[in-house]
Amino acid sequence: MSIRTITFDAIVVGGGGAGMRASLQMAQSGFKTALISKVFPTRSHTVSAQGGITCAIASADPNDDWRWHMYDTVKGSDYIGDQDAIEYMCSVGPEAVFELDHMGLPFSRTEEGRIYQRPFGGQSKNFGEGGQAARTCAAADRTGHALLHTLYQQNLKNGTQVYSEWYAAELVKDGQGNVCGVIAICIETGETVFFKAKATVFATGGSGRIYASTTNALINTGDGVGMALRAGLPVQDIEMWQFHPTGIAGAGVLVTEGCRGEGGYLINKDGERFMERYAPNAKDLASRDVVARSMMMEILDGRGAGPDGDHVFLKLDHLGEEVLHSRLPGICELAITFAHTDPVKEPIPVVPTCHYMMGGIPTNVHGQAIKLSAGHEGQDQFVNGLFAVGEVACVSVHGANRLGGNSLLDLVVFGRAAGLFIEDALRQGMTQYEPSNDDIDQALSRVRRWDESQGGESVASLRKELQSTMQNHFGVFRKGDLMHEGVSKLAELRERVAKAHLEDKSQSFNTARVEALELDNLLEVAEATAIAAEGRRESRGAHARYDFPDRDDENWLCHSIYDPLTKQLGKRAVNFEPKTVDTFQPKARTY
Amino acid sequence: MKVSIYRYNPDTDREPTMKEYDVDTQGKDLMVLDVLNLVKEMDPSLGFRRSCREGVCGSDGMNINGKNGLACITSLSSVAPGVKEGKKALVLRPLPGLPVVRDLVVDMTMFYNQYEKVQPYLQNSTPAPAIERLQSPEERAKLDGLYECILCACCSTSCPSFWWNPDKFLGPAALLQGYRFLADSRDTATEERLARLDDPFSLFRCHGIMNCVSVCPKGLNPTRAIGHIRSMLLERGI
């Protein structure tokens, strides 16, 4: 089968913050760059980020120090974040944030005219000794929207070639496993094209849609992780899923941690501010994993609110109408629309909701994708031609638990870093790996499978079943036997998905085809999550097990590596060697 | 409840039709997008755009019982009396005035072209400082009501001037963004920006009927922004 080939120096798959920061970098330096996005870029999920971008720009506190931010991030990660990567993110961060201001991002301001910073969870001054810090740079509670639009505008200015509403379906590799580009489908016309490039950058975002209840957009289906796993590449720490404490009960819509940063707090059905019991110092601004678990304990102990006792409340009314309308205007809108609650008058019903994938494709600080020499074990090796940035990557700055506001910093810092690295590599001459016709044909096989399907179960019903399996077997609290059952259910689902039916074979804007291809990715991410979660026999960060309730530094102070070919779980060392500061040694994690 | 949806697939249909669906909402006050998702479970061939499902990405602008809006934040009870109860049909059509690609999906090219014409990015000819460019809270407040636009196109596609001259009149969404940069104290390209708008069509086809204001799902006011640009152009002319 021969298809059209379009050749670029670099292609970026995904038009969210990370992808657009990377494409901007390369377009600015004149390299032929394509941005391939399944939605018009400003519809990407970065747009939903609310509270801000955490960075030591020393506006709220002139003495703030990126090393304090680094300490918080290492502690937040429950010590499996790579310290060289965290050091890079926190130290380069200010430069990357000031660039965003120069690009026009409409940050909120202080009286001095500087960028406004608010307190967020897990933040401290002076390495945990100096009390709560205010380090999250905000554009009201619409920081992601402001960031994403600013980056799109800069890509327009710099002439990035945007393939909007093109769906990347598969990686194309040569016989040696070097990455040559991707197969992508033009959603509007149905045409399938091979995008060939020296550098392929995955910036495909997260995969929250593997859960039934999530803050994530409907498009967050793990396309990058799915493509990597099908290409036989490993993923790292994929069992680590963040449940955000404050999703609106029922709707799943996110309510920013910035609400608690501005002084809001959680109460149970008796009106008690229960976080005082679980985290006496940081209270409602403890790390997200800690707050989410505390909320679930309240609910499981019968102190949840509502007819089913299945949620708690976020109280904001004491902040006053003026603060709420100036600092949290978007939240007021969302609460009224989705909870029929005006936060000026009454508390918002909230529940921990799947929010963020800490794991992903392992990379170094330049975004270069890493695999191990023998599947789930052995030495690090680069996957030639492949890069990953943002939520799909596991660089790893978040480890077992991400701090609020660090995702936006992650995506601008590492989108930029990958862009800078590729720019330099292209200048020095990068190899264009050439696939054979058979290689391309193999990459097309999945698309063809759906197009030739003749009968079988529907995509929607299988997707629902997958989502409820993940919700019921791999939630906030996990248990060995329940997870084991979940793994079996997913294995069975895999067989059924392989025989599922795409009824609509038309070419023009066929969203049924896109949803079918997305289902394959959801399944890949779900199964990897399930096997990794069952395999990590300890509790750390977001991964909390009833049967192994303690952190086990002797055996599990390491990354997990899932190899899709053998379905084995291996281990990979965490980096404890930052370049300019002393190592932060693991210690008991309390807030 | 009864749902009537505009259907057109260029691969198979010679002309568009309205197709009726019977959807069981269990009496709940769902969002229009929830109803569309229920229809899509029954009929996967239905095409519509959606992403964030919370009113911030701007994907699912459509015409809902005659008025443009976002499906994800329009509840059935707010559409029209009787719709939620099933006494009156929910009627969904693509945004008017743009070519239909398929079903509820329109070709947004003309809309985006007009957006690009206002050079929607900060321009500043002075060297960037080592930190952020300072901006007072009062200066920053001038951007409120402007930067929040989500490019859903509900406003421009409800504007008769845009229907008539989608290639020459920039339309409310683009003009709102045009003003967003004129109003930014960090932008130094005011004169060039105004010069680009100073012709009979780009801005002056706005007749102030405020359809844009009445449909904007984010509560923004493009007419007011257009008024501000008008004043700036007049002052510049004196």
Side-chain angles (χ1 to χ4, degrees), chain A residues 176-178 232-234 362 368-375 377-384 561 572:
Chain A
Q176 281 69 52
N178 303 306
L233 299 173
Q368 292 176 279
I370 290 167
K371 61 182 176 181
L372 299 186
S373 54
E377 52 192 16
Q379 302 300 308
D380 284 6
Q381 295 179 336
F382 291 125
V383 182
N384 293 324
I561 286 280
R572 178 168 174 256

Side-chain angles (χ1 to χ4, degrees), chain A residues 39-40 42-45 47-48 50 57 59 98 100-115 139-142 145-146 149-150 152-154 156-157 165 188 209 214-219 251-254 333-334 337-338 340 458 460 463-464 503-512 515 518, chain B residues 9-12 29 31 33 37-38 40-41 44-59 72-75 101-102 105-109 111-112 115-116 120-124 128-138 140 143-144 147-153 177 180-181 184 186 217-218:
Chain A
V39 293
F40 181 76
T42 64
R43 326 280 183 217
S44 305
H45 186 55
V47 82
S48 294
Q50 297 170 351
I57 61 160
S59 163
F98 294 140
L100 293 173
D101 167 75
H102 302 155
M103 290 176 198
L105 199 155
F107 283 113
S108 302
R109 298 287 162 164
T110 64
E111 285 305 320
E112 292 73 40
R114 295 208 59 193
I115 293 171
D141 57 358
R142 304 188 180 97
H145 169 278
H149 280 253
T150 301
Y152 179 65
Q153 292 161 354
Q154 290 297 314
L156 273 182
K157 183 181 176 188
E165 298 185 329
E188 186 177 335
R209 286 284 153 183
T214 174
T215 64
N216 283 196
L218 291 151
I219 57 171
V253 171
L254 173 69
E333 266 179 54
L334 287 172
T337 307
F338 289 100
H340 308 293
S458 79
R463 186 176 53 216
K464 262 191 189 165
E503 193 182 322
D504 182 359
K505 312 280 203 296
S506 61
Q507 295 299 306
S508 301
F509 221 98
N510 184 341
T511 50
E515 288 188 17
E518 287 173 340
Chain B
N9 180 345
D11 294 2
T12 51
D29 191 17
M31 297 295 175
L33 179 63
N37 285 329
L38 290 172
K40 196 165 171 68
E41 282 180 25
S45 73
L46 173 65
F48 55 94
R49 293 187 176 102
R50 83 287 182 276
S51 173
C52 75
R53 62 82 171 89
E54 58 189 29
V56 294
C57 80
S59 297
C72 59
I73 53 170
T74 303
S75 62
V101 176
R102 173 175 175 163
V105 177
V106 291
D107 181 349
M108 307 268 283
T109 309
F111 175 79
Y112 295 139
Y115 172 65
E116 290 178 27
Y121 37 80
L122 194 84
Q123 298 179 50
N124 188 317
I131 60 166
E132 68 270 44
R133 292 183 192 277
L134 300 183
Q135 184 175 51
S136 71
E138 295 71 31
R140 168 60 182 74
L143 308 183
D144 285 335
Y147 82 94
E148 301 93 324
C149 172
I150 57 174
L151 300 176
C152 65
Q177 288 317 294
R180 177 248 174 277
F181 289 98
D184 196 321
R186 298 169 297 173
K218 304 310 285 181

Side-chain angles (χ1 to χ4, degrees), chain B residues 24-42:
Chain B
D24 180 11
T25 59
Q26 298 171 339
K28 290 185 203 158
D29 191 17
L30 299 177
M31 297 295 175
V32 171
L33 179 63
D34 299 327
V35 176
L36 277 168
N37 285 329
L38 290 172
V39 173
K40 196 165 171 68
E41 282 180 25
M42 296 188 278

